[in-house]
Amino acid sequence: MDISELALRAQAAWFRELAARGFPQIRAGLDGFAVSTGLASNTENGAVIPPSIVDEPLELDTLLGWLRERAQPASVLVTGPLAPEATVQLVDRGLKPERTGNNMGRLLTGIDADALAATTWQISEVTDPQSLRESFRVYADDGWWDGPSELEQRVEVAIRLGYGPGRPIRHWAAYHQGFPVGAATSFQFDDAVLLVSSCVAVPWRRQGIGTALTRIRLAAAADNGAVHAVVFPSPDGYHLHRSLGFSLAPVHPDRWFYLS
């Protein structure tokens, strides 16, 4: 299992899902494209390009120019290894290569989905806009986003993408006395699941909610046929995912770039 290749596939699949849902986009050459949600995140705006696009400088410059016009952080993913001179061409165009990060992943085959999902916390899948907005407030109250306007933008994007049982994107919330104290999202693609995000309200941390939200997402994905799981770990998330059988792997250098 090549964890970091899986991570690249996951983000590329996410960008393709955004494009399939009709967010603003542009094509470049036969296989390249860029898409933008307008959210202030380099995982919500970006491009997927083949290594050969450096041989089509006009197409490449048009794509990068379009992304810069959006005036939001963006990522550029390359679908295969680049020659050193091709990397130089991208860097000369203002792209910053990722070379020091890590990804985490694990196999899901052979797990007991029911046992994996077992928890004493009340966790429910989010299936309606009101519950979605309430669960997203966990992120907003933790400072993930800038003010109430971005919360509403995030909700609008999530609704446009679609979510719920049988969909690629699924959201869960953990509750205490009917009030959401944790939230998490997953994205299933091909034979794998990306654990997109997870947040627990500060007063409720270190009580097993993050673990429970991770377990239920893995169980749901395994039950729906996923055999691999991948996550882009935060420093805090590293220990949680390690305890659940995830392994750490360095990124493949010069495959993920940031637009500056």
Side-chain angles (χ1 to χ4, degrees):
M1 176 181 176
D2 186 334
I3 293 171
S4 287
E5 189 66 36
L6 182 62
L8 286 162
R9 282 178 48 210
Q11 187 60 46
W14 182 262
F15 284 152
R16 290 189 179 97
E17 185 73 13
L18 294 176
R21 295 297 174 181
F23 286 93
Q25 59 196 272
I26 185 174
R27 306 297 302 186
L30 294 177
D31 301 313
F33 73 95
V35 64
S36 177
T37 64
L39 295 172
S41 170
N42 56 35
T43 59
E44 304 297 339
N45 313 282
V48 179
I49 59 173
S52 60
I53 200 170
V54 296
D55 298 324
E56 303 176 74
L58 180 59
E59 294 280 357
L60 177 59
D61 290 340
T62 298
L63 182 147
L64 296 179
W66 184 88
L67 272 179
R68 287 194 170 96
E69 288 173 1
R70 312 275 79 75
Q72 295 292 355
S75 295
V76 177
L77 311 180
V78 185
T79 57
L82 285 169
E85 58 272 20
T87 299
V88 170
Q89 290 185 51
L90 294 183
V91 171
D92 286 347
R93 285 173 165 81
L95 297 182
K96 180 181 179 181
E98 175 62 74
R99 292 171 175 168
T100 61
N102 294 286
N103 302 300
M104 298 187 80
R106 62 159 289 178
L107 290 171
L108 296 179
T109 52
I111 69 170
D112 183 335
D114 290 335
L116 187 65
T119 177
T120 57
W121 286 98
Q122 179 195 348
I123 297 180
S124 300
E125 185 162 3
V126 173
T127 57
D128 64 87
Q130 181 177 344
S131 299
L132 181 71
R133 182 173 286 103
E134 290 172 353
S135 68
F136 274 22
R137 287 192 185 279
V138 176
Y139 297 101
D141 292 346
D142 195 53
W144 283 47
W145 307 322
D146 295 329
S149 63
E150 186 166 354
L151 169 61
E152 291 306 314
Q153 286 179 308
R154 295 273 176 172
V155 171
E156 289 174 7
V157 168
I159 291 172
R160 184 169 176 179
L161 282 169
Y163 56 92
R167 298 287 192 96
I169 300 169
R170 302 175 74 174
H171 306 284
W172 279 267
Y175 294 88
H176 176 71
Q177 296 181 352
F179 186 78
V181 296
T185 296
S186 67
F187 168 56
Q188 193 157 346
F189 65 100
D190 301 334
D191 64 347
V193 62
L194 170 66
L195 302 184
V196 177
S197 60
S198 181
C199 182
V200 177
V202 173
W204 300 98
R205 291 178 183 171
R206 305 294 185 265
Q207 299 184 49
I209 295 175
T211 297
L213 286 167
T214 302
R215 284 179 172 273
I216 201 165
R217 287 179 292 164
L218 295 176
D223 195 49
N224 203 37
V227 297
H228 302 96
V230 65
V231 64
F232 309 133
S234 65
D236 289 338
Y238 165 79
H239 296 287
L240 185 155
H241 293 100
R242 190 77 171 180
S243 72
L244 293 175
F246 282 74
S247 298
L248 189 71
V251 300
H252 291 318
D254 302 340
R255 294 282 303 281
W256 188 315
F257 294 78
Y258 301 105
L259 188 67
S260 58

